[in-house]
Amino acid sequence: MSWKLFNLLLEASLMTIFVSTISILIGLVLAILLSAANLSGIRPLQWFSKFFISFFRGTPLLVQLLLLYNLLPVIGVQIPSLVTAIIGLSICTAAYQAENLRGGFEGVPTGLVESADMAGFTPVQTFFHIRVPIALRLTLPALINEAILILKASSLVSVVGLIELTRMAQNLVASTFMPLEIYASAGLIYLVINLVVATAGRQLERRLPGVGSK
Amino acid sequence: MGFDFDVILSKQDQLISGIAMTIFVWVVGTLLAALIGFIVATARRYGGVLVDKALTVPIEVIRGTPFLVQLFLLYFGGPYIGLSLDALPAGLLALSVYGAAYFAEIFRAGYQSVPPGHVEAAECLGFTRIQIIRNILLPEMALLVIPPSVNMAIILLKETALLSLITVPEMTMTASAIGSQEYAFVEAMVLIALVYWVLVELAGLLGRFAEKKLSRYRLAKA
């Protein structure tokens, strides 16, 4: 396999990294909102949050993407496949991240929340200034794990026509008939990206201060 | 615009065979994955340092790459190295190997959770290695291994949807075909999303039930 082909794969992997990063960040924001809904004590919001998390964790991402990709034109929304891919991945990872965060929010020491109340924080202030930072720190390993899962899951957005690493590999296979070399190279690139993310994650965990004893 | 579920439901024979195929691939794939994973974990425990190190590489490679790429590599690349498989066996093989890498880690953690004293005691009593695995290690790690195993089974169920991309006639492929023929793609996808959801919830329920049943094996805190 020539360097030219490998370079094309490398270029496409930038799209994989871009889509994954954006989706993880949007997913994180959505997950925090879902957690807020869950902690709000308002029944309908809690139901929505539970339903959302259960549904998107309970169905395959491929089915979600196919559904989204075909639903949008039917309801009159015309957007590029890049946006469809990001919406699909973000919604899916939001459900998983919200589930991860649930454990983090349970780990927030009650004393800190009570102190914030005493200090006159409104519930919203307590949520964003006390609960969220601590929950995020506690679930950092899970977040890094989720980032790796999404990097791998982003291979599925190839079915909605976005030219990322897997789709580029498919296209190259179709024109060169070298599936072994090309898919193995694509796999290698995914592996390297994931190793980098895992290593960076471990470094980040070590550098950041922990959340004292409970 | 309107949604019409009747046209989809009128194809229920096809749908049911798709659902049956999904369940078949899922159950067989998960069992094979658990079996291979168990063998790998056992080989790593008893096979010496070299085997342990040698098995780490494929496990990390499988866990670090997307299932879709593995599937395509096997199905489209396999014939070039004399491994021509039909869609179904290729899908089953890919699913089992993929799952096995994760199950190997689950069983490794399980093995590590058993107090060494119990194994040493059994050795002193003259238990053979097989007896130790069957009578000491497996029952003691069962409770710890069940939740991640159920989780993995659920992940594998969702991964079976990818087999549609190599033309295994499971429910995602069946529903896509019906949906395109009948111009009711969205309805078809909603319907099978619900089926997946029910299957996932059922698997979770079954897992919690098994956990409860096995809780009598819980180790007393030393």
Side-chain angles (χ1 to χ4, degrees), chain B residues 22-36:
Chain B
T22 287
I23 294 177
F24 168 77
V25 173
W26 173 38
V27 172
V28 175
T30 305
L31 290 178
L32 281 175
L35 184 69
I36 302 171

Side-chain angles (χ1 to χ4, degrees), chain A residues 51 54-55 57-60 62-63 67 70-71 74 96 152 155-156 159 170 177 179-180 183-184 187 190-191 194, chain B residues 1 60 63-66 68-69 72-73 76-77 80-81 102 158 161-162 164 185-186 189 193 196-197 200-201:
Chain A
F51 167 84
S54 171
F55 181 79
R57 289 178 78 236
T59 51
L62 179 64
V63 174
L67 180 58
N70 289 282
L71 176 70
V74 175
Y96 284 90
K152 292 192 284 170
S155 60
L156 295 195
V159 299
Q170 282 175 283
F177 304 106
L180 269 181
Y183 286 130
Y190 277 111
L191 192 62
N194 284 330
Chain B
M1 142 219 120
E60 288 309 313
R63 280 156 45 99
T65 51
L68 184 60
V69 173
F72 282 172
L73 185 61
F76 298 115
Y80 288 79
I81 51 165
Y102 290 86
K158 290 183 280 173
L162 302 202
S164 64
F185 202 93
V186 172
M189 285 298 122
Y196 278 113
W197 196 12
V200 165
E201 291 296 325

Side-chain angles (χ1 to χ4, degrees), chain B:
Chain B
M1 142 219 120
F3 290 114
D4 182 6
F5 283 90
D6 291 343
V7 287
I8 303 293
L9 291 172
S10 70
K11 301 271 178 178
Q12 54 171 298
D13 291 352
Q14 273 172 284
L15 270 177
I16 288 171
S17 80
I19 295 171
M21 178 60 94
T22 287
I23 294 177
F24 168 77
V25 173
W26 173 38
V27 172
V28 175
T30 305
L31 290 178
L32 281 175
L35 184 69
I36 302 171
F38 175 70
I39 292 171
V40 169
T42 310
R44 287 184 73 182
R45 185 180 168 94
Y46 290 110
V49 184
L50 221 67
V51 174
D52 184 30
K53 284 267 185 295
L55 284 172
T56 316
V57 178
I59 290 177
E60 288 309 313
V61 168
I62 292 169
R63 280 156 45 99
T65 51
F67 178 57
L68 184 60
V69 173
Q70 297 166 17
L71 193 63
F72 282 172
L73 185 61
L74 176 70
Y75 186 65
F76 298 115
Y80 288 79
I81 51 165
L83 194 67
S84 292
L85 292 173
D86 284 338
L88 180 57
L92 263 179
L93 179 63
L95 196 69
S96 318
V97 171
Y98 173 78
Y102 290 86
F103 272 112
E105 288 295 292
I106 293 173
F107 284 117
R108 191 173 66 97
Y111 274 140
Q112 280 173 354
S113 75
V114 178
H118 295 197
V119 178
E120 285 159 16
E123 279 168 357
C124 289
L125 288 169
F127 277 42
T128 64
R129 192 171 277 175
I130 307 270
Q131 283 176 321
I132 293 178
I133 293 176
R134 200 176 54 204
N135 298 322
I136 310 291
L137 291 170
L138 277 178
E140 288 200 17
M141 70 190 206
L143 201 62
L144 189 97
V145 163
I146 282 183
S149 297
V150 172
N151 214 6
M152 196 57 220
I154 289 174
I155 291 173
L156 289 180
L157 168 60
K158 290 183 280 173
E159 299 289 9
T160 61
L162 302 202
L163 301 192
S164 64
L165 300 175
I166 60 163
T167 69
V168 176
E170 45 67 77
M171 69 173 159
T172 303
M173 177 167 164
T174 316
S176 302
I178 298 173
S180 316
Q181 284 160 19
E182 307 292 333
Y183 297 101
F185 202 93
V186 172
E187 292 89 327
M189 285 298 122
V190 168
L191 205 70
I192 60 158
L194 292 178
V195 177
Y196 278 113
W197 196 12
V198 169
L199 287 175
V200 165
E201 291 296 325
L202 278 180
L205 220 63
L206 214 66
R208 281 192 290 280
F209 177 74
E211 227 179 303
K212 218 179 206 173
K213 278 278 162 198
L214 279 171
S215 59
R216 66 194 175 94
Y217 287 118
R218 192 186 300 278
L219 291 179
K221 284 270 180 294

Side-chain angles (χ1 to χ4, degrees), chain A residues 3 27 32 37 40 44 64 72 74 88 90 102 113 125 139 150-151 174 178-179 181 193 203:
Chain A
W3 279 110
I32 291 173
S40 66
Q64 294 167 18
L72 290 178
V74 175
S90 306
R102 200 165 58 93
V113 177
Q125 283 175 324
T139 55
I150 283 300
L151 266 163
M178 295 196 291
E181 297 88 332
I193 300 174
Q203 287 296 324

